[in-house]
Amino acid sequence: MPAANITLDPAFTIAPVNRRTFGTFVEHMGRCVYTGIYEPGHATADEDGFRKDVLELTRELGVSVVRYPGGNFVSGYRWEDGVGPREGRPRRLELAWQSVETNEFGLDEFIRWCAKAGVEPMMAINLGTRGVQEALDLQEYANHPGGTALSDLREQHGASPYGIKLWCLGNEMDGPWQIGHKTAEEYGRVAAETARAMRMVEPDLQLVACGSSSSAMPTFGSWEQTVLRETYDFVEYISCHAYYGNDDGDTASFLGSAVNMDRFIDAVTATADAVGAELKSKKTIDISFDEWNVWYGERSRRTDGPGDQWEVAPRRIEDEYNVTDAVVVGNLLISLLRHSDRVGVACLAQLANVIAPIMTERGGPAWRQPTFHPFAITSRLAAGQVLRLETDSPTISTAKYGDITAVDAVATYDEGKLAVFLVNRSSEGPIEVTVDVSRAGVGTVAEALIMHDDDLLATNSAEHPDRVTPQPADVKLADGKLTVTLPAVSWTAVSLAG
């Protein structure tokens, strides 16, 4: 059996675990909101129409922050349509996803839902069809204590100040598909003007400028440079978005997707630092990786049928995830944690139904997709400091990324508790991994779980919600050495204590 060796020491750290790493994303797209998190009349619905089964799963998932309301949706969104009495809210054509938006669920409902889910709101601003004044209006309604037209309107709607601190200045404005698509120069100017004005009201806001919508965009790199030259002094984050799939059948490269994420993060931080040096700034711009997931363009269940255009909450990209997808998601989380020194926010897109870890049916059950489990386990176990690891692993060949390590790993350490997350990206067979934990002062294995199945395409469903679940992992701890057998295409989490 091939072998790999990992060495760690709690004295050698990268950065503290950032709870905002475990964010997700709720967009008015498909069934994410309607029949996803919100379904009045459902057997589990509470007084606000929120599905309590989905709220429970959201808390189990360990979500820390939720980005809202988009996504492409936000670039044509009028926030004031979704506040106040529901009977007075307008129905609108929603251009991004070719549907009808009822506005039954809006900002007021989202903030109440966040409070019940125990998550921080991350609000996106429309800089596609709107601009500085509309952003200021939204900020006044959401955050100002009172005594002005819009803050008093919020009070009339029965709400105290929402206190939203984390804001996205638009969404994917580099994309020609975006409503109100802009050049880097155009976007950089309006983002800077918006950020400057918002800070006149609340200097302590945390703002995210739009980076490239993927590293494959032809303007990648130059977009970040131009935007940051305009916004550097006014924002904390530049965004990254990335989706990975296996539409071409290149499973080896798909399993190596985290290599692309690593390179993407490194490239954007290098670009941001270069702009900072050019501007002679002592400030550091970090990354908001506020859209990431596995997404299958070819096999997505995109619509209910050919006649679903301009309907309310039609099915959109409801991918059915399998064991291999869960392994890749677990590896992408390893990448995000490994970059905790620069990734300050990350959002798995999306939360319910739309390429999501949680699935529901209208009037029916909610269940966990296989990708739910590595996210929930990592969120629960990762704590304290992210450690620097030295890894000696066999390699595998991939068409997209060349030779990569078969074993990838990250570890966190918190007051005598160690968590190690490992993935075997090889489809050839098991690998025995030895982790030297002698410097961590741990003596017992508290928990060891694995995501693996002989059927790499196994999925969960409403009828079989627990077909794919974490299982006990084969681990041993002796003489300061943790030995873990990683089957082919598997993700494993081990928690150790003193």
Side-chain angles (χ1 to χ4, degrees), residues 51 93 102 130 195 224 235 242-243 247 279 334 428 432 456:
R51 287 186 58 149
L93 291 181
T102 67
R130 310 189 103 177
E224 280 76 7
V235 303
Y243 295 96
D247 292 320
L279 298 176
I334 287 173
E428 296 302 316
E432 185 177 84
L456 296 179

Side-chain angles (χ1 to χ4, degrees), residues 31 35-36 39 42 44 51 53-54 57 353 358-368 461-465:
R31 298 192 308 115
T35 73
E39 188 178 347
H42 190 271
T44 70
R51 287 186 58 149
D53 54 353
V54 176
L57 288 173
N353 290 326
I358 299 171
M359 294 298 294
T360 73
E361 284 298 340
R362 184 189 300 272
W367 66 95
R368 306 165 189 83
S461 65
E463 295 75 23
H464 303 285

Side-chain angles (χ1 to χ4, degrees), residues 141-184:
Y141 180 91
N143 286 1
H144 196 65
T148 65
L150 291 172
S151 61
D152 287 350
L153 180 63
R154 184 202 62 243
E155 289 187 344
Q156 291 171 26
H157 296 157
S160 300
Y162 293 149
I164 302 170
K165 293 299 182 185
L166 188 57
W167 298 78
C168 298
L169 300 171
N171 175 77
E172 294 187 357
M173 300 309 299
D174 64 323
W177 58 85
Q178 203 70 210
I179 304 167
H181 161 64
K182 292 173 173 57
T183 65

Side-chain angles (χ1 to χ4, degrees), residues 439-460:
R439 296 175 182 84
V442 292
T444 59
V445 175
E447 191 173 8
L449 296 169
I450 187 169
M451 292 295 296
H452 170 72
D453 198 287
D454 290 339
D455 179 3
L456 296 179
L457 301 181
T459 63
N460 292 336

